[in-house]
């Protein structure tokens, strides 16, 4: 990983992005309905990752961008050098009355390989690392609980440990406009995401309803 001292300088001005989501018709930058919460995930190339989340019930909007590094308002080309420290991330704004972090993270874990540090298939580099960046305590609890649960599933199947970065969200920089909802605009475009063949068990209760020190068993299928 590049250090803050080594990172590219970037620029003070953000990129102009479309006002509305190409698929959902909702504001890309907000404002969103009162109570909307935002979770950020990184799981390789953000084109396919964003499409996974805009299809989920309860999602208000999604956006492609850069998070987890040092360079302000980086370009795609700069991020791909590995000298900004950022991941290719997806903003997921959602209605907590219709979905919850566990269900969102279930889709996250089941649609990429979280055991390959800085790599998803042929995409290699620190910008392709797996990461969850939270904005609420409930999201943090969900990230930690689902990571532990899915880690057991993978271990039982003989796979290595999860290397996903878990951290509070820093500044999210929107990617250039042509990246937003890329696979809607380019249906035949590159996508490196899909089911990895394993199921992430989520608890019977939302994590913010689970008392401390209480283990919640996964539901019976």
């Amino acid at each position: 990983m590049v250090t803050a001292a080594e990172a590219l300088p970037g620029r003070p001005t953000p990129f102009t992005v479309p006002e509305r989501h190409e698929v959902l018709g909702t504001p890309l930058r907000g404002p969103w309905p009162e109570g909307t919460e935002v979770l950020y995930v990184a799981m390789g190339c953000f084109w396919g990752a964003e499409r996974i989340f805009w299809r989920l019930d309860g999602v208000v909007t999604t956006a492609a961008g850069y998070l987890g590094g040092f360079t302000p308002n980086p370009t795609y080309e700069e991020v791909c050098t590995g000298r900004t420290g950022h991941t290719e991330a997806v903003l997921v704004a959602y209605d907590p009355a219709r979905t919850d972090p566990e269900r969102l993270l279930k889709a996250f874990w089941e649609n990429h390989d979280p055991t390959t540090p800085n790599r998803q298939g042929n995409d290699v580099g620190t910008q392709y690392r797996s990461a969850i960046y939270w904005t609420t305590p409930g999201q943090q609890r969900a990230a930690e609980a689902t990571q532990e649960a899915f880690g057991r599933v993978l271990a039982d199947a003989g796979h290595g440990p999860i290397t996903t970065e878990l951290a509070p969200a820093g500044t999210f920089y929107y990617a250039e406009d042509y990246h937003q909802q890329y696979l809607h605009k380019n249906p035949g475009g590159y996508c490196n995401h899909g089911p990895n063949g394993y199921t992430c068990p989520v608890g019977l209760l939302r994590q913010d309803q689970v008392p401390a020190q209480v283990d919640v068993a996964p539901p019976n299928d």
Side-chain angles (χ1 to χ4, degrees):
M1 275 288 292
V2 70
T3 66
E6 298 166 336
L8 297 174
R11 56 203 48 79
T13 306
F15 296 113
T16 300
V17 297
E19 182 178 342
R20 295 199 168 268
H21 195 284
E22 286 280 337
V23 179
L24 302 177
T26 49
L28 213 62
R29 290 185 178 271
W32 301 303
E34 184 177 356
T36 298
E37 295 181 357
V38 177
L39 175 69
Y40 301 95
V41 295
M43 47 198 293
C45 178
F46 48 24
W47 294 343
E50 187 189 9
R51 182 171 62 180
I52 288 168
F53 288 94
W54 83 52
R55 291 174 166 176
L56 298 181
D57 182 59
V59 170
V60 175
T61 203
T62 61
Y66 313 113
L67 186 61
F70 309 105
T71 301
N73 300 298
T75 66
Y76 178 69
E77 289 74 18
E78 288 172 341
V79 171
C80 287
T81 68
R83 295 180 60 203
T84 72
H86 292 296
T87 60
E88 290 192 22
V90 175
L91 175 154
V92 184
Y94 64 95
D95 179 354
R98 297 177 55 202
T99 190
D100 52 49
E102 288 86 350
R103 278 179 277 188
L104 298 175
L105 291 174
K106 178 178 173 67
F108 168 81
W109 294 116
E110 293 177 1
N111 284 279
H112 78 298
D113 185 350
T115 70
T116 52
N118 305 324
R119 179 171 190 158
Q120 287 298 309
N122 293 327
D123 296 331
V124 181
T126 56
Q127 71 271 28
Y128 298 117
R129 69 188 185 272
S130 174
I132 301 170
Y133 303 110
W134 60 76
T135 63
T136 71
Q139 292 174 2
Q140 178 181 0
R141 291 191 291 271
E144 293 168 349
T146 56
Q147 181 194 50
E148 181 180 357
F150 197 56
R152 290 196 296 266
V153 170
L154 296 181
D156 289 345
H159 296 288
I162 287 175
T163 62
T164 301
E165 175 185 355
L166 303 183
T171 302
F172 176 80
Y173 298 102
Y174 282 79
E176 298 89 331
D177 60 357
Y178 72 93
H179 291 298
Q180 306 303 331
Q181 298 84 68
Y182 181 86
L183 290 180
H184 173 73
K185 302 170 186 174
N186 303 275
Y190 174 77
C191 178
N192 194 28
H193 290 88
N196 56 29
Y198 297 99
T199 299
C200 178
V202 295
L204 295 171
L205 300 175
R206 290 178 55 181
Q207 293 302 314
D208 58 3
Q209 297 172 330
V210 179
Q213 306 304 317
V214 175
D215 292 327
V216 177
N220 294 321
D221 292 333

